[in-house]
Structure formats: structure tokens, C-alpha cells
Amino acid sequence: SQFIVGLTGGIGSGKTTVANLFAAQGIDIIDADIIAREVVAPSSEGLNEIVNHFGTEVLLDKGGLDRQALREKIFRNPEERQWLNQCLHPKIRQRMIELVKKSSSIYTLLVVPLLFENGLDSLVDRTLVIDITEEQQVNRTAHRDNSSTEIIKNIIKSQMSRDDRLSKADDVISNQGERQQLEQAVIALHRKYLTLSEKS
Ligand code: ATP
């Protein structure tokens, strides 16, 4: 069956940037953020279950999910947050498995921000962590999103620590330097993954 590499890293580490370089090598990319939106799309099973549980207050006029309203429902309410996770995680996992089956590249890259936190590393054969300093995470994310450093620091705190993430990685790409340096690192790993895919 398909050889799967799980790509992860903290907020603003460069996951999308690196994934695009693998895509340029002809590798199919599966993006967990896109799947997470798909499973609550208008008239999806996920959205129906959420509305049955939380009420129509979490719906926008157009029939889509009101994320802000949902966030308020689970804010400071661990039981509701757990309910939501238990509703969505199996659907996300199932959809990932479906998309991996459809992938036709020699191996497949699964891009998952919370790969370790959500136990999705159990789906992959190998993990690749994109590593930068926390200071760079704050600077690059603030620059990209025009958001406050305080919010970004809170997101970093809610994610796994840099050391814990690195200790779980099979492979690491440091993105602390210039963007141009990434391509060489990606090509080297791409060769390695081609070899590993042949053996699996
Ligand atoms: P998120 O977790 O928020 O989705 P991400 O891990 O996908 O982020 P990217 O969006 O790829 O990260 O990168 C974060 C920002 O940093 C982007 O604006 C990107 O263009 C920029 N960036 C990526 N690599 C470098 C680099 N080596 N030097 C400077 N800027 C970089």
C-alpha cells in the first residue's frame, strides 16, 4: 500500500512552503486544514451533527458553520470541546485515508499541523518536522497574517513544544535560514522517500 509521510511543524514554521516544494517534485499533497473544513461544509454529516448538538445558533444565514459562534460554545467548556473533537476526528481521519487511497504519486505527503497532538502520526510511515525558533514563528506569522504577537504566542503555547516535536521526528528540515535553502533539503529527502517507498 501507499507510503505516507506526515509533515508537521508549529504555526508559521513553513509547512505550506515546504509542501509546495514536494508538490513540485510530483508528490500528491493531502492537507488536513482543507479536510477539516470539508467535514463541516454546508449539508455535510459533520455540520448536521454539530447543529443537532449545539443548535441552529451555530449556523450562518447562508447555511454554513458560524465558527465564531461555535468557538464561543466550546470556550472554557472542556466537555463540549471534547464532544466536538470526538465528532470531527473520526471523520477527518476517514477522509484522509480515502484521499491517500486515491493518491497516485510514488509516496504521499499528509500535511497536518497537529499531527502528534491528535495522534494522526499513527496513519503515517514517517514523520517530517519543519523546525524554526519560536521568535521566527511569531515574526513570520505576524508578518503573514497581520495578527497580534499575543494571539500567536497563545497559539504556540497551545501546540506541542519545539523540543517534544523534534524528539518525535524521523526527519527534520530546518527553515531557520533563507527560503532558497529549502529546495535542496526537500530534494534530498524526496530521494530518500523514493527509496523508502520502493522498499515498503
Ligand atoms: P501555518 O501553520 O500558520 O499554516 P505554515 O507552517 O504552513 O503556517 P507557511 O505559511 O509556509 O507556514 O510560512 C509562514 C510564513 O513564513 C509565510 O508567509 C511564508 O511565506 C514565510 N516563510 C517561509 N519560509 C521562510 C523563510 N525561510 N524565510 C522567511 N520567510 C519564510
Side-chain angles (χ1 to χ4, degrees):
S1 71
Q2 187 70 329
F3 189 80
I4 310 169
V5 177
L7 184 152
T8 192
I11 181 170
S13 55
K15 296 179 291 296
T16 307
T17 307
V18 170
N20 288 339
L21 292 170
F22 278 98
Q25 300 297 316
I27 296 306
D28 290 341
I29 312 295
I30 298 171
D31 185 330
D33 284 342
I34 293 175
I35 295 176
R37 284 195 290 272
E38 248 179 48
V39 300
V40 293
S43 62
S44 63
E45 189 188 287
L47 185 56
N48 282 335
E49 288 176 24
I50 288 171
V51 172
N52 283 337
H53 184 83
F54 290 105
T56 49
E57 303 106 89
V58 298
L59 277 182
L60 296 166
D61 292 341
K62 289 175 181 164
L65 178 62
D66 185 341
R67 282 162 201 286
Q68 184 57 35
L70 181 62
R71 262 197 297 276
E72 278 159 25
K73 295 265 184 196
I74 64 171
F75 183 65
R76 290 193 186 135
N77 193 333
E79 272 133 48
E80 295 292 35
R81 189 174 318 153
Q82 196 186 359
W83 182 89
L84 186 65
N85 284 339
Q86 280 171 359
C87 170
L88 297 180
H89 282 173
K91 295 178 179 35
I92 292 171
R93 182 179 275 263
Q94 202 43 52
R95 183 71 182 140
M96 282 176 178
I97 293 168
E98 261 173 53
L99 290 175
V100 166
K101 280 188 191 146
K102 282 187 192 163
S103 162
S104 57
S105 57
I106 298 177
Y107 64 92
T108 305
L109 200 67
L110 201 57
V111 182
V112 191
L114 300 178
L115 183 74
F116 299 121
E117 289 90 334
N118 289 337
L120 288 161
D121 51 329
S122 66
L123 286 181
V124 309
D125 297 289
R126 207 164 170 94
T127 60
L128 169 58
V129 164
I130 314 306
D131 180 59
I132 61 174
T133 67
E134 286 196 5
E135 193 187 353
Q136 288 176 313
Q137 282 186 278
V138 173
N139 291 342
R140 289 181 189 174
T141 308
H143 186 259
R144 182 194 59 193
D145 298 345
N146 206 3
S147 56
S148 82
T149 59
E150 195 199 338
I151 290 173
I152 300 163
K153 282 180 183 165
N154 280 331
I155 294 171
I156 293 173
K157 257 187 248 161
S158 76
Q159 299 182 339
M160 183 175 265
S161 77
R162 186 181 176 194
D163 285 348
D164 286 347
R165 200 183 283 117
L166 285 173
S167 74
K168 285 180 165 275
D170 293 315
D171 302 303
V172 177
I173 289 182
S174 168
N175 188 22
Q176 294 173 66
E178 295 292 315
R179 210 185 289 263
Q180 301 116 257
Q181 292 169 280
L182 286 174
E183 193 176 354
Q184 277 192 29
V186 166
I187 288 172
L189 276 176
H190 175 63
R191 294 209 178 101
K192 179 170 167 178
Y193 296 152
L194 288 178
T195 309
L196 288 170
S197 312
E198 279 165 20
K199 288 180 188 155
S200 73

mmCIF file with all atom_site columns, all heavy atoms in Angstrom, residues 58-80:
data_model
loop_
_atom_site.group_PDB
_atom_site.id
_atom_site.type_symbol
_atom_site.label_atom_id
_atom_site.label_alt_id
_atom_site.label_comp_id
_atom_site.label_asym_id
_atom_site.label_entity_id
_atom_site.label_seq_id
_atom_site.pdbx_PDB_ins_code
_atom_site.Cartn_x
_atom_site.Cartn_y
_atom_site.Cartn_z
_atom_site.occupancy
_atom_site.B_iso_or_equiv
_atom_site.pdbx_formal_charge
_atom_site.auth_seq_id
_atom_site.auth_comp_id
_atom_site.auth_asym_id
_atom_site.auth_atom_id
_atom_site.pdbx_PDB_model_num
ATOM 1   N N   . VAL A 1 58 ? -25.367 28.026 15.760 1.00 0.00 ? 58 VAL A N   1
ATOM 2   C CA  . VAL A 1 58 ? -24.025 27.898 15.177 1.00 0.00 ? 58 VAL A CA  1
ATOM 3   C C   . VAL A 1 58 ? -24.077 27.892 13.641 1.00 0.00 ? 58 VAL A C   1
ATOM 4   O O   . VAL A 1 58 ? -23.086 27.566 12.995 1.00 0.00 ? 58 VAL A O   1
ATOM 5   C CB  . VAL A 1 58 ? -23.266 26.643 15.698 1.00 0.00 ? 58 VAL A CB  1
ATOM 6   C CG1 . VAL A 1 58 ? -23.055 26.732 17.209 1.00 0.00 ? 58 VAL A CG1 1
ATOM 7   C CG2 . VAL A 1 58 ? -23.986 25.359 15.307 1.00 0.00 ? 58 VAL A CG2 1
ATOM 8   N N   . LEU A 1 59 ? -25.259 28.252 13.096 1.00 0.00 ? 59 LEU A N   1
ATOM 9   C CA  . LEU A 1 59 ? -25.362 28.351 11.639 1.00 0.00 ? 59 LEU A CA  1
ATOM 10  C C   . LEU A 1 59 ? -25.379 29.804 11.182 1.00 0.00 ? 59 LEU A C   1
ATOM 11  O O   . LEU A 1 59 ? -26.007 30.659 11.812 1.00 0.00 ? 59 LEU A O   1
ATOM 12  C CB  . LEU A 1 59 ? -26.658 27.680 11.155 1.00 0.00 ? 59 LEU A CB  1
ATOM 13  C CG  . LEU A 1 59 ? -26.656 26.177 10.971 1.00 0.00 ? 59 LEU A CG  1
ATOM 14  C CD1 . LEU A 1 59 ? -28.016 25.727 10.437 1.00 0.00 ? 59 LEU A CD1 1
ATOM 15  C CD2 . LEU A 1 59 ? -25.537 25.726 10.044 1.00 0.00 ? 59 LEU A CD2 1
ATOM 16  N N   . LEU A 1 60 ? -24.719 30.075 10.082 1.00 0.00 ? 60 LEU A N   1
ATOM 17  C CA  . LEU A 1 60 ? -24.820 31.378 9.435  1.00 0.00 ? 60 LEU A CA  1
ATOM 18  C C   . LEU A 1 60 ? -26.098 31.410 8.606  1.00 0.00 ? 60 LEU A C   1
ATOM 19  O O   . LEU A 1 60 ? -26.666 30.355 8.308  1.00 0.00 ? 60 LEU A O   1
ATOM 20  C CB  . LEU A 1 60 ? -23.612 31.608 8.516  1.00 0.00 ? 60 LEU A CB  1
ATOM 21  C CG  . LEU A 1 60 ? -22.249 31.673 9.199  1.00 0.00 ? 60 LEU A CG  1
ATOM 22  C CD1 . LEU A 1 60 ? -21.132 31.564 8.158  1.00 0.00 ? 60 LEU A CD1 1
ATOM 23  C CD2 . LEU A 1 60 ? -22.113 32.960 9.996  1.00 0.00 ? 60 LEU A CD2 1
ATOM 24  N N   . ASP A 1 61 ? -26.535 32.603 8.219  1.00 0.00 ? 61 ASP A N   1
ATOM 25  C CA  . ASP A 1 61 ? -27.759 32.723 7.426  1.00 0.00 ? 61 ASP A CA  1
ATOM 26  C C   . ASP A 1 61 ? -27.701 31.877 6.160  1.00 0.00 ? 61 ASP A C   1
ATOM 27  O O   . ASP A 1 61 ? -28.693 31.296 5.732  1.00 0.00 ? 61 ASP A O   1
ATOM 28  C CB  . ASP A 1 61 ? -28.014 34.191 7.054  1.00 0.00 ? 61 ASP A CB  1
ATOM 29  C CG  . ASP A 1 61 ? -28.366 35.011 8.290  1.00 0.00 ? 61 ASP A CG  1
ATOM 30  O OD1 . ASP A 1 61 ? -28.754 34.389 9.299  1.00 0.00 ? 61 ASP A OD1 1
ATOM 31  O OD2 . ASP A 1 61 ? -28.248 36.251 8.228  1.00 0.00 ? 61 ASP A OD2 1
ATOM 32  N N   . LYS A 1 62 ? -26.496 31.825 5.562  1.00 0.00 ? 62 LYS A N   1
ATOM 33  C CA  . LYS A 1 62 ? -26.351 31.092 4.303  1.00 0.00 ? 62 LYS A CA  1
ATOM 34  C C   . LYS A 1 62 ? -26.285 29.575 4.476  1.00 0.00 ? 62 LYS A C   1
ATOM 35  O O   . LYS A 1 62 ? -26.173 28.845 3.494  1.00 0.00 ? 62 LYS A O   1
ATOM 36  C CB  . LYS A 1 62 ? -25.092 31.566 3.563  1.00 0.00 ? 62 LYS A CB  1
ATOM 37  C CG  . LYS A 1 62 ? -25.224 32.960 2.987  1.00 0.00 ? 62 LYS A CG  1
ATOM 38  C CD  . LYS A 1 62 ? -23.904 33.409 2.373  1.00 0.00 ? 62 LYS A CD  1
ATOM 39  C CE  . LYS A 1 62 ? -24.017 34.820 1.810  1.00 0.00 ? 62 LYS A CE  1
ATOM 40  N NZ  . LYS A 1 62 ? -22.704 35.413 1.549  1.00 0.00 ? 62 LYS A NZ  1
ATOM 41  N N   . GLY A 1 63 ? -26.303 29.086 5.712  1.00 0.00 ? 63 GLY A N   1
ATOM 42  C CA  . GLY A 1 63 ? -26.313 27.645 5.941  1.00 0.00 ? 63 GLY A CA  1
ATOM 43  C C   . GLY A 1 63 ? -24.959 27.036 6.273  1.00 0.00 ? 63 GLY A C   1
ATOM 44  O O   . GLY A 1 63 ? -24.849 25.838 6.527  1.00 0.00 ? 63 GLY A O   1
ATOM 45  N N   . GLY A 1 64 ? -23.937 27.863 6.265  1.00 0.00 ? 64 GLY A N   1
ATOM 46  C CA  . GLY A 1 64 ? -22.605 27.373 6.637  1.00 0.00 ? 64 GLY A CA  1
ATOM 47  C C   . GLY A 1 64 ? -22.394 27.448 8.137  1.00 0.00 ? 64 GLY A C   1
ATOM 48  O O   . GLY A 1 64 ? -23.226 27.981 8.873  1.00 0.00 ? 64 GLY A O   1
ATOM 49  N N   . LEU A 1 65 ? -21.270 26.892 8.603  1.00 0.00 ? 65 LEU A N   1
ATOM 50  C CA  . LEU A 1 65 ? -20.950 26.898 10.026 1.00 0.00 ? 65 LEU A CA  1
ATOM 51  C C   . LEU A 1 65 ? -20.469 28.282 10.457 1.00 0.00 ? 65 LEU A C   1
ATOM 52  O O   . LEU A 1 65 ? -19.606 28.876 9.816  1.00 0.00 ? 65 LEU A O   1
ATOM 53  C CB  . LEU A 1 65 ? -19.847 25.858 10.299 1.00 0.00 ? 65 LEU A CB  1
ATOM 54  C CG  . LEU A 1 65 ? -19.353 25.757 11.744 1.00 0.00 ? 65 LEU A CG  1
ATOM 55  C CD1 . LEU A 1 65 ? -20.473 25.335 12.686 1.00 0.00 ? 65 LEU A CD1 1
ATOM 56  C CD2 . LEU A 1 65 ? -18.189 24.771 11.838 1.00 0.00 ? 65 LEU A CD2 1
ATOM 57  N N   . ASP A 1 66 ? -21.041 28.767 11.549 1.00 0.00 ? 66 ASP A N   1
ATOM 58  C CA  . ASP A 1 66 ? -20.576 30.017 12.158 1.00 0.00 ? 66 ASP A CA  1
ATOM 59  C C   . ASP A 1 66 ? -19.468 29.655 13.153 1.00 0.00 ? 66 ASP A C   1
ATOM 60  O O   . ASP A 1 66 ? -19.733 29.282 14.297 1.00 0.00 ? 66 ASP A O   1
ATOM 61  C CB  . ASP A 1 66 ? -21.748 30.709 12.861 1.00 0.00 ? 66 ASP A CB  1
ATOM 62  C CG  . ASP A 1 66 ? -21.370 32.078 13.424 1.00 0.00 ? 66 ASP A CG  1
ATOM 63  O OD1 . ASP A 1 66 ? -20.160 32.338 13.605 1.00 0.00 ? 66 ASP A OD1 1
ATOM 64  O OD2 . ASP A 1 66 ? -22.297 32.868 13.686 1.00 0.00 ? 66 ASP A OD2 1
ATOM 65  N N   . ARG A 1 67 ? -18.219 29.747 12.690 1.00 0.00 ? 67 ARG A N   1
ATOM 66  C CA  . ARG A 1 67 ? -17.081 29.297 13.500 1.00 0.00 ? 67 ARG A CA  1
ATOM 67  C C   . ARG A 1 67 ? -16.940 30.076 14.797 1.00 0.00 ? 67 ARG A C   1
ATOM 68  O O   . ARG A 1 67 ? -16.578 29.520 15.835 1.00 0.00 ? 67 ARG A O   1
ATOM 69  C CB  . ARG A 1 67 ? -15.767 29.424 12.707 1.00 0.00 ? 67 ARG A CB  1
ATOM 70  C CG  . ARG A 1 67 ? -15.607 28.318 11.729 1.00 0.00 ? 67 ARG A CG  1
ATOM 71  C CD  . ARG A 1 67 ? -14.588 28.635 10.647 1.00 0.00 ? 67 ARG A CD  1
ATOM 72  N NE  . ARG A 1 67 ? -14.869 27.772 9.539  1.00 0.00 ? 67 ARG A NE  1
ATOM 73  C CZ  . ARG A 1 67 ? -14.582 26.485 9.537  1.00 0.00 ? 67 ARG A CZ  1
ATOM 74  N NH1 . ARG A 1 67 ? -13.967 25.938 10.554 1.00 0.00 ? 67 ARG A NH1 1
ATOM 75  N NH2 . ARG A 1 67 ? -14.904 25.731 8.514  1.00 0.00 ? 67 ARG A NH2 1
ATOM 76  N N   . GLN A 1 68 ? -17.203 31.381 14.695 1.00 0.00 ? 68 GLN A N   1
ATOM 77  C CA  . GLN A 1 68 ? -17.104 32.224 15.888 1.00 0.00 ? 68 GLN A CA  1
ATOM 78  C C   . GLN A 1 68 ? -18.118 31.765 16.945 1.00 0.00 ? 68 GLN A C   1
ATOM 79  O O   . GLN A 1 68 ? -17.778 31.601 18.118 1.00 0.00 ? 68 GLN A O   1
ATOM 80  C CB  . GLN A 1 68 ? -17.320 33.691 15.488 1.00 0.00 ? 68 GLN A CB  1
ATOM 81  C CG  . GLN A 1 68 ? -17.141 34.687 16.621 1.00 0.00 ? 68 GLN A CG  1
ATOM 82  C CD  . GLN A 1 68 ? -15.766 34.593 17.285 1.00 0.00 ? 68 GLN A CD  1
ATOM 83  O OE1 . GLN A 1 68 ? -14.754 34.331 16.626 1.00 0.00 ? 68 GLN A OE1 1
ATOM 84  N NE2 . GLN A 1 68 ? -15.731 34.776 18.615 1.00 0.00 ? 68 GLN A NE2 1
ATOM 85  N N   . ALA A 1 69 ? -19.360 31.505 16.512 1.00 0.00 ? 69 ALA A N   1
ATOM 86  C CA  . ALA A 1 69 ? -20.398 31.051 17.442 1.00 0.00 ? 69 ALA A CA  1
ATOM 87  C C   . ALA A 1 69 ? -20.021 29.700 18.051 1.00 0.00 ? 69 ALA A C   1
ATOM 88  O O   . ALA A 1 69 ? -20.205 29.470 19.256 1.00 0.00 ? 69 ALA A O   1
ATOM 89  C CB  . ALA A 1 69 ? -21.743 30.955 16.718 1.00 0.00 ? 69 ALA A CB  1
ATOM 90  N N   . LEU A 1 70 ? -19.462 28.820 17.219 1.00 0.00 ? 70 LEU A N   1
ATOM 91  C CA  . LEU A 1 70 ? -19.058 27.504 17.724 1.00 0.00 ? 70 LEU A CA  1
ATOM 92  C C   . LEU A 1 70 ? -17.920 27.648 18.736 1.00 0.00 ? 70 LEU A C   1
ATOM 93  O O   . LEU A 1 70 ? -17.923 26.996 19.793 1.00 0.00 ? 70 LEU A O   1
ATOM 94  C CB  . LEU A 1 70 ? -18.634 26.597 16.557 1.00 0.00 ? 70 LEU A CB  1
ATOM 95  C CG  . LEU A 1 70 ? -18.215 25.183 16.937 1.00 0.00 ? 70 LEU A CG  1
ATOM 96  C CD1 . LEU A 1 70 ? -19.367 24.416 17.593 1.00 0.00 ? 70 LEU A CD1 1
ATOM 97  C CD2 . LEU A 1 70 ? -17.711 24.415 15.715 1.00 0.00 ? 70 LEU A CD2 1
ATOM 98  N N   . ARG A 1 71 ? -16.947 28.510 18.407 1.00 0.00 ? 71 ARG A N   1
ATOM 99  C CA  . ARG A 1 71 ? -15.829 28.748 19.335 1.00 0.00 ? 71 ARG A CA  1
ATOM 100 C C   . ARG A 1 71 ? -16.351 29.204 20.685 1.00 0.00 ? 71 ARG A C   1
ATOM 101 O O   . ARG A 1 71 ? -15.862 28.778 21.727 1.00 0.00 ? 71 ARG A O   1
ATOM 102 C CB  . ARG A 1 71 ? -14.883 29.818 18.764 1.00 0.00 ? 71 ARG A CB  1
ATOM 103 C CG  . ARG A 1 71 ? -13.659 29.219 18.070 1.00 0.00 ? 71 ARG A CG  1
ATOM 104 C CD  . ARG A 1 71 ? -12.557 30.257 17.895 1.00 0.00 ? 71 ARG A CD  1
ATOM 105 N NE  . ARG A 1 71 ? -12.959 31.367 17.033 1.00 0.00 ? 71 ARG A NE  1
ATOM 106 C CZ  . ARG A 1 71 ? -12.887 31.339 15.705 1.00 0.00 ? 71 ARG A CZ  1
ATOM 107 N NH1 . ARG A 1 71 ? -12.413 30.275 15.081 1.00 0.00 ? 71 ARG A NH1 1
ATOM 108 N NH2 . ARG A 1 71 ? -13.276 32.370 14.988 1.00 0.00 ? 71 ARG A NH2 1
ATOM 109 N N   . GLU A 1 72 ? -17.347 30.081 20.663 1.00 0.00 ? 72 GLU A N   1
ATOM 110 C CA  . GLU A 1 72 ? -17.897 30.575 21.930 1.00 0.00 ? 72 GLU A CA  1
ATOM 111 C C   . GLU A 1 72 ? -18.580 29.455 22.723 1.00 0.00 ? 72 GLU A C   1
ATOM 112 O O   . GLU A 1 72 ? -18.520 29.437 23.942 1.00 0.00 ? 72 GLU A O   1
ATOM 113 C CB  . GLU A 1 72 ? -18.848 31.747 21.674 1.00 0.00 ? 72 GLU A CB  1
ATOM 114 C CG  . GLU A 1 72 ? -18.063 33.050 21.509 1.00 0.00 ? 72 GLU A CG  1
ATOM 115 C CD  . GLU A 1 72 ? -18.832 34.144 20.777 1.00 0.00 ? 72 GLU A CD  1
ATOM 116 O OE1 . GLU A 1 72 ? -20.075 34.120 20.787 1.00 0.00 ? 72 GLU A OE1 1
ATOM 117 O OE2 . GLU A 1 72 ? -18.148 35.027 20.182 1.00 0.00 ? 72 GLU A OE2 1
ATOM 118 N N   . LYS A 1 73 ? -19.206 28.512 22.010 1.00 0.00 ? 73 LYS A N   1
ATOM 119 C CA  . LYS A 1 73 ? -19.872 27.386 22.686 1.00 0.00 ? 73 LYS A CA  1
ATOM 120 C C   . LYS A 1 73 ? -18.865 26.480 23.402 1.00 0.00 ? 73 LYS A C   1
ATOM 121 O O   . LYS A 1 73 ? -19.180 25.896 24.441 1.00 0.00 ? 73 LYS A O   1
ATOM 122 C CB  . LYS A 1 73 ? -20.646 26.523 21.671 1.00 0.00 ? 73 LYS A CB  1
ATOM 123 C CG  . LYS A 1 73 ? -21.797 27.228 21.015 1.00 0.00 ? 73 LYS A CG  1
ATOM 124 C CD  . LYS A 1 73 ? -23.082 26.952 21.740 1.00 0.00 ? 73 LYS A CD  1
ATOM 125 C CE  . LYS A 1 73 ? -24.249 27.602 21.013 1.00 0.00 ? 73 LYS A CE  1
ATOM 126 N NZ  . LYS A 1 73 ? -25.446 27.685 21.867 1.00 0.00 ? 73 LYS A NZ  1
ATOM 127 N N   . ILE A 1 74 ? -17.678 26.324 22.809 1.00 0.00 ? 74 ILE A N   1
ATOM 128 C CA  . ILE A 1 74 ? -16.718 25.386 23.411 1.00 0.00 ? 74 ILE A CA  1
ATOM 129 C C   . ILE A 1 74 ? -15.679 26.090 24.287 1.00 0.00 ? 74 ILE A C   1
ATOM 130 O O   . ILE A 1 74 ? -14.948 25.451 25.022 1.00 0.00 ? 74 ILE A O   1
ATOM 131 C CB  . ILE A 1 74 ? -15.995 24.515 22.343 1.00 0.00 ? 74 ILE A CB  1
ATOM 132 C CG1 . ILE A 1 74 ? -15.142 25.367 21.409 1.00 0.00 ? 74 ILE A CG1 1
ATOM 133 C CG2 . ILE A 1 74 ? -17.002 23.674 21.567 1.00 0.00 ? 74 ILE A CG2 1
ATOM 134 C CD1 . ILE A 1 74 ? -14.249 24.530 20.497 1.00 0.00 ? 74 ILE A CD1 1
ATOM 135 N N   . PHE A 1 75 ? -15.669 27.433 24.231 1.00 0.00 ? 75 PHE A N   1
ATOM 136 C CA  . PHE A 1 75 ? -14.726 28.226 25.007 1.00 0.00 ? 75 PHE A CA  1
ATOM 137 C C   . PHE A 1 75 ? -14.918 27.942 26.497 1.00 0.00 ? 75 PHE A C   1
ATOM 138 O O   . PHE A 1 75 ? -16.029 28.046 27.008 1.00 0.00 ? 75 PHE A O   1
ATOM 139 C CB  . PHE A 1 75 ? -14.975 29.707 24.693 1.00 0.00 ? 75 PHE A CB  1
ATOM 140 C CG  . PHE A 1 75 ? -14.030 30.654 25.353 1.00 0.00 ? 75 PHE A CG  1
ATOM 141 C CD1 . PHE A 1 75 ? -12.677 30.639 25.035 1.00 0.00 ? 75 PHE A CD1 1
ATOM 142 C CD2 . PHE A 1 75 ? -14.503 31.570 26.284 1.00 0.00 ? 75 PHE A CD2 1
ATOM 143 C CE1 . PHE A 1 75 ? -11.810 31.529 25.643 1.00 0.00 ? 75 PHE A CE1 1
ATOM 144 C CE2 . PHE A 1 75 ? -13.630 32.474 26.886 1.00 0.00 ? 75 PHE A CE2 1
ATOM 145 C CZ  . PHE A 1 75 ? -12.284 32.442 26.570 1.00 0.00 ? 75 PHE A CZ  1
ATOM 146 N N   . ARG A 1 76 ? -13.851 27.581 27.169 1.00 0.00 ? 76 ARG A N   1
ATOM 147 C CA  . ARG A 1 76 ? -13.903 27.269 28.612 1.00 0.00 ? 76 ARG A CA  1
ATOM 148 C C   . ARG A 1 76 ? -14.905 26.167 28.931 1.00 0.00 ? 76 ARG A C   1
ATOM 149 O O   . ARG A 1 76 ? -15.480 26.145 30.024 1.00 0.00 ? 76 ARG A O   1
ATOM 150 C CB  . ARG A 1 76 ? -14.233 28.526 29.430 1.00 0.00 ? 76 ARG A CB  1
ATOM 151 C CG  . ARG A 1 76 ? -13.067 29.481 29.394 1.00 0.00 ? 76 ARG A CG  1
ATOM 152 C CD  . ARG A 1 76 ? -13.228 30.567 30.433 1.00 0.00 ? 76 ARG A CD  1
ATOM 153 N NE  . ARG A 1 76 ? -12.170 31.543 30.289 1.00 0.00 ? 76 ARG A NE  1
ATOM 154 C CZ  . ARG A 1 76 ? -12.340 32.864 30.317 1.00 0.00 ? 76 ARG A CZ  1
ATOM 155 N NH1 . ARG A 1 76 ? -13.522 33.375 30.495 1.00 0.00 ? 76 ARG A NH1 1
ATOM 156 N NH2 . ARG A 1 76 ? -11.305 33.658 30.198 1.00 0.00 ? 76 ARG A NH2 1
ATOM 157 N N   . ASN A 1 77 ? -15.169 25.308 27.988 1.00 0.00 ? 77 ASN A N   1
ATOM 158 C CA  . ASN A 1 77 ? -16.071 24.184 28.259 1.00 0.00 ? 77 ASN A CA  1
ATOM 159 C C   . ASN A 1 77 ? -15.444 22.897 27.726 1.00 0.00 ? 77 ASN A C   1
ATOM 160 O O   . ASN A 1 77 ? -15.707 22.480 26.600 1.00 0.00 ? 77 ASN A O   1
ATOM 161 C CB  . ASN A 1 77 ? -17.442 24.448 27.622 1.00 0.00 ? 77 ASN A CB  1
ATOM 162 C CG  . ASN A 1 77 ? -18.481 23.486 28.148 1.00 0.00 ? 77 ASN A CG  1
ATOM 163 O OD1 . ASN A 1 77 ? -18.150 22.364 28.562 1.00 0.00 ? 77 ASN A OD1 1
ATOM 164 N ND2 . ASN A 1 77 ? -19.732 23.901 28.128 1.00 0.00 ? 77 ASN A ND2 1
ATOM 165 N N   . PRO A 1 78 ? -14.591 22.268 28.541 1.00 0.00 ? 78 PRO A N   1
ATOM 166 C CA  . PRO A 1 78 ? -13.829 21.093 28.090 1.00 0.00 ? 78 PRO A CA  1
ATOM 167 C C   . PRO A 1 78 ? -14.719 19.962 27.590 1.00 0.00 ? 78 PRO A C   1
ATOM 168 O O   . PRO A 1 78 ? -14.358 19.282 26.631 1.00 0.00 ? 78 PRO A O   1
ATOM 169 C CB  . PRO A 1 78 ? -13.068 20.648 29.336 1.00 0.00 ? 78 PRO A CB  1
ATOM 170 C CG  . PRO A 1 78 ? -13.097 21.799 30.271 1.00 0.00 ? 78 PRO A CG  1
ATOM 171 C CD  . PRO A 1 78 ? -14.292 22.625 29.927 1.00 0.00 ? 78 PRO A CD  1
ATOM 172 N N   . GLU A 1 79 ? -15.908 19.784 28.210 1.00 0.00 ? 79 GLU A N   1
ATOM 173 C CA  . GLU A 1 79 ? -16.778 18.682 27.772 1.00 0.00 ? 79 GLU A CA  1
ATOM 174 C C   . GLU A 1 79 ? -17.312 18.906 26.364 1.00 0.00 ? 79 GLU A C   1
ATOM 175 O O   . GLU A 1 79 ? -17.353 17.975 25.552 1.00 0.00 ? 79 GLU A O   1
ATOM 176 C CB  . GLU A 1 79 ? -17.955 18.500 28.733 1.00 0.00 ? 79 GLU A CB  1
ATOM 177 C CG  . GLU A 1 79 ? -17.621 17.576 29.881 1.00 0.00 ? 79 GLU A CG  1
ATOM 178 C CD  . GLU A 1 79 ? -18.046 18.130 31.224 1.00 0.00 ? 79 GLU A CD  1
ATOM 179 O OE1 . GLU A 1 79 ? -19.213 18.580 31.338 1.00 0.00 ? 79 GLU A OE1 1
ATOM 180 O OE2 . GLU A 1 79 ? -17.212 18.136 32.145 1.00 0.00 ? 79 GLU A OE2 1
ATOM 181 N N   . GLU A 1 80 ? -17.716 20.148 26.091 1.00 0.00 ? 80 GLU A N   1
ATOM 182 C CA  . GLU A 1 80 ? -18.212 20.453 24.744 1.00 0.00 ? 80 GLU A CA  1
ATOM 183 C C   . GLU A 1 80 ? -17.081 20.371 23.716 1.00 0.00 ? 80 GLU A C   1
ATOM 184 O O   . GLU A 1 80 ? -17.285 19.915 22.594 1.00 0.00 ? 80 GLU A O   1
ATOM 185 C CB  . GLU A 1 80 ? -18.866 21.840 24.699 1.00 0.00 ? 80 GLU A CB  1
ATOM 186 C CG  . GLU A 1 80 ? -20.122 21.966 25.543 1.00 0.00 ? 80 GLU A CG  1
ATOM 187 C CD  . GLU A 1 80 ? -21.301 21.150 25.019 1.00 0.00 ? 80 GLU A CD  1
ATOM 188 O OE1 . GLU A 1 80 ? -21.115 20.038 24.474 1.00 0.00 ? 80 GLU A OE1 1
ATOM 189 O OE2 . GLU A 1 80 ? -22.445 21.628 25.184 1.00 0.00 ? 80 GLU A OE2 1
#
